Amino acid sequence: METSRRQSGIQQLLAAEQEAQQIVNAARNAKMARLRQAKEEADREIAAYRAQMEAEFQKKVAETSGDSGANVKRLEQETEDKIANLKQQAGAISPDVVSMLLKHVTSVKN
């Protein structure tokens, strides 16, 4: 009788160990499945974010490249206006500069 109880106890321990191993394996498999799912979700979010950033970048590139012709024309106009302004100022003081130079060149100092 004692032997049969021991055998029964050993059998119960072995069965409990197998059941525990099955529970651990099931938990490990569930964890791996959750990790795979989380990775897939993160990959999808990254792809969506990357696509959004790329679209915004392309939009800004299109906006700035479309304006480059207008910017060039604006800069050319500003440059021409400044050159005309400098020529006008030089023309206004040119007679004074010429007379001052002639005065200094023609006067003799001892």
Side-chain angles (χ1 to χ4, degrees), residues 52-66:
Q52 177 187 359
M53 290 291 111
E54 181 67 23
E56 289 178 17
F57 174 73
Q58 292 299 333
K59 181 181 175 185
K60 287 184 180 187
V61 166
E63 288 174 358
T64 57
S65 66

Side-chain angles (χ1 to χ4, degrees), residues 1-15:
M1 179 116 171
E2 186 73 27
T3 311
S4 67
R5 265 208 261 159
R6 281 189 202 161
Q7 287 291 358
S8 173
I10 291 173
Q11 291 299 324
Q12 283 180 334
L13 286 174
L14 288 174

Side-chain angles (χ1 to χ4, degrees), residues 1-2 4 11 13 19 25 28 34 37 46 61 72 79 82-83 92-93 99 102:
M1 179 116 171
E2 186 73 27
S4 67
Q11 291 299 324
L13 286 174
E19 184 181 348
N25 286 340
R28 186 176 295 136
R34 282 193 309 259
Q37 180 184 6
I46 289 169
V61 166
V72 169
T79 303
K82 288 179 181 179
I83 290 172
I93 62 169
S99 66
L102 285 174

Side-chain angles (χ1 to χ4, degrees), residues 63-108:
E63 288 174 358
T64 57
S65 66
D67 288 345
S68 67
N71 285 336
V72 169
K73 287 182 181 180
R74 181 183 54 83
L75 289 174
E76 286 176 352
Q77 184 61 43
E78 287 178 6
T79 303
E80 288 175 11
D81 291 345
K82 288 179 181 179
I83 290 172
N85 188 23
L86 288 173
K87 284 183 180 180
Q88 178 191 6
Q89 289 175 352
I93 62 169
S94 180
D96 294 337
V97 171
V98 169
S99 66
M100 182 181 71
L101 285 173
L102 285 174
K103 177 182 166 192
H104 285 294
V105 169
T106 57
S107 65
V108 179

Side-chain angles (χ1 to χ4, degrees), residues 35-48:
L35 287 173
R36 267 190 241 106
Q37 180 184 6
K39 184 182 183 307
E40 290 170 359
E41 287 177 12
D43 288 342
R44 282 193 299 269
E45 287 179 16
I46 289 169

